[in-house]
Amino acid sequence: MVHGMERNQYGQQVGAPVPHWSTRPLPGRGTLAGRYVTAEPISLRHADALFAAVCGPGNGALWTYRPVPQPESIAEFEKGVLRPLAEHAECTSFAFVPAGDRASGLATLSSCAPEAGVVEISGVLWGRSMRRSTAATEAIHLMLRYVFQQLGYRRVEWKCDSRNEPSARAAQRLGFTYEGRFRQHMIVRGRNRDTDWYSMLDTEWPAIRARNERWLDPRNFDQNGHQLQRLEEI
């Protein structure tokens, strides 16, 4: 060991050992329950509520950075969005149901690499009632808690179009670390996409979890539901 860096028998720097590591399980299709929102495995029974929440008038901007354009009918929504998510064998997608409401958001645990303990939170889409809400923050918190604490993953990724400023702000607010930009990463709906990568590690999660729990505590909100401290201030 030289200045905190480990070297092999050839004098080359090598990564820190990961003792007792084993391949982690793939995310399952169970329900994640929170105080403000419940994450349910997505299915066609969520079609009516989700279509109304994210495909109604005035929601076109939500689809700018998504791989498919805004569906114009429930049938198109089921075929192009819900069914692929519900039937994908290696991804787990959730419909988020705020307390006292119908499903109003969705997100996916994708790009799973159980052998390395890596998974991505992708496809986050909030209806109007969930945007910038306590339920939306808790929804991502529930996914992170599930991946880190129940499945034992080491890394969660968040990727977005480099021009998708709301997604980038959300990643930073939630505690993800910016890692860089993959230029000309893909072509989406006939346009170039540069992709910004963010990550969160298992070693960072305890502090982020504690911060999230302090913010989500009912004592952080007044009688009208307004936050007393912003998440960034905690």
Side-chain angles (χ1 to χ4, degrees):
M1 190 80 69
V2 179
H3 300 303
M5 295 182 293
E6 189 169 341
R7 297 182 181 273
N8 65 10
Q9 64 268 39
Y10 309 109
Q12 299 164 310
Q13 295 181 24
V14 294
V18 185
H20 314 301
W21 173 256
S22 62
T23 296
R24 310 315 303 155
L26 285 169
R29 293 184 56 78
T31 296
L32 310 178
R35 178 181 286 114
Y36 307 102
V37 70
T38 299
E40 299 177 352
I42 205 164
S43 72
L44 294 182
R45 69 186 178 87
H46 297 109
D48 288 345
L50 287 176
F51 181 79
V54 301
C55 295
N59 285 325
L62 296 179
W63 297 83
T64 298
Y65 301 107
R66 297 187 71 83
V68 297
Q70 179 180 348
E72 297 182 358
S73 67
I74 289 183
E76 187 180 341
F77 181 63
E78 289 182 353
K79 179 181 178 181
V81 179
L82 277 196
R83 195 176 296 278
L85 293 178
E87 297 179 355
H88 200 300
E90 296 182 359
C91 295
T92 298
S93 295
F94 295 100
F96 295 101
V97 184
D101 200 354
R102 302 199 303 164
S104 186
L106 59 103
T108 299
L109 293 173
S110 64
S111 303
C112 300
E115 69 284 354
V118 178
V119 70
E120 177 185 353
I121 293 179
S122 66
V124 178
L125 183 60
W126 304 135
R128 188 171 286 107
S129 66
M130 281 193 68
R131 290 172 220 166
R132 293 183 290 276
S133 70
T134 309
T137 298
E138 187 179 49
I140 302 300
H141 176 76
L142 291 175
M143 297 176 77
L144 291 168
R145 187 176 69 184
Y146 172 59
V147 168
F148 282 128
Q149 295 180 213
Q150 292 185 238
L151 300 183
Y153 276 59
R154 303 175 65 230
R155 170 184 169 92
V156 177
E157 297 176 339
W158 181 291
K159 304 167 190 169
C160 62
D161 189 305
S162 64
R163 295 167 178 82
N164 190 345
E165 295 179 1
S167 183
R169 287 196 300 269
Q172 294 163 11
R173 174 179 177 273
L174 291 163
F176 286 82
T177 297
Y178 177 69
E179 292 186 328
R181 178 166 296 172
F182 281 42
R183 299 176 300 164
Q184 295 189 185
H185 180 222
M186 59 179 70
I187 298 172
V188 178
R189 290 160 56 185
R191 294 183 182 275
N192 175 67
R193 168 172 149 166
D194 298 342
T195 300
D196 285 354
W197 286 49
Y198 297 81
S199 72
M200 186 184 298
L201 306 183
D202 56 349
T203 53
E204 299 163 342
W205 168 243
I208 293 171
R209 178 192 65 206
R211 182 198 66 163
N212 290 352
E213 290 174 349
R214 285 178 58 194
W215 187 82
L216 291 165
D217 191 303
R219 291 172 294 184
N220 188 43
F221 299 89
D222 64 21
Q223 59 185 1
N224 297 314
H226 298 140
Q227 61 183 346
L228 302 180
Q229 276 191 297
R230 299 168 60 218
L231 187 59
E232 300 91 322
E233 296 170 343
I234 296 179

